[in-house]
Amino acid sequence: MFRQWFAKNCIWGYARIINEMEELRQQRSAFTQAEFKRKDALLRVREIEKMLRGQDLLKELDEDLFEALMEQIRVKSLVEVVFVLKAGVEVREIL
């Protein structure tokens, strides 16, 4: 009887540990992916920074620079626009 109880509790404990390990693996994977995204965004921001440092003060629209930086423009309303840079940064502008 004790052996059965002991075996059952050992199996239950083992299954619980296996489940917990799997949850921790999933969490680690999510954190790793988030860290890669963060590092990638930082790298893109630094590339944009390098590009902008080489520019003089703009007096008119530089289409090449605009295309190099801009990924998307979202019109939120008649008075609000969101510029999404290729680095993932969003800039909201109220007109």
Side-chain angles (χ1 to χ4, degrees):
M1 178 94 94
F2 175 75
R3 286 183 189 172
Q4 289 176 339
W5 175 84
F6 184 75
K8 184 190 256 183
N9 283 323
C10 284
I11 291 170
W12 178 82
Y14 180 75
R16 184 179 55 80
I17 290 170
I18 294 295
N19 287 337
E20 188 174 333
M21 286 176 59
E22 182 57 33
E23 287 176 20
L24 291 171
R25 280 188 189 109
Q26 290 174 0
Q27 287 176 2
R28 181 179 65 189
S29 176
F31 289 137
T32 301
Q33 289 175 1
E35 183 65 13
F36 282 139
K37 286 181 182 179
R38 186 191 69 78
K39 285 181 179 180
D40 184 51
L42 183 60
L43 180 64
R44 288 186 281 165
V45 167
R46 286 185 178 151
E47 288 172 1
I48 290 171
E49 182 181 31
K50 278 185 207 175
M51 191 183 331
L52 291 176
R53 285 187 192 270
Q55 297 289 321
D56 292 329
L57 184 61
L58 295 176
K59 295 182 181 175
E60 61 185 46
L61 177 65
D62 181 334
E63 290 185 34
D64 294 331
L65 180 62
F66 184 81
E67 288 179 16
L69 296 175
M70 197 62 53
E71 181 173 315
Q72 185 177 64
I73 300 173
R74 293 187 208 137
V75 178
K76 295 294 219 174
S77 69
L78 290 174
V79 295
E80 183 179 6
V81 178
V82 178
F83 297 93
V84 182
L85 303 180
K86 289 185 178 177
V89 176
E90 292 187 8
V91 179
R92 294 190 186 290
E93 187 67 33
I94 304 296
L95 307 173

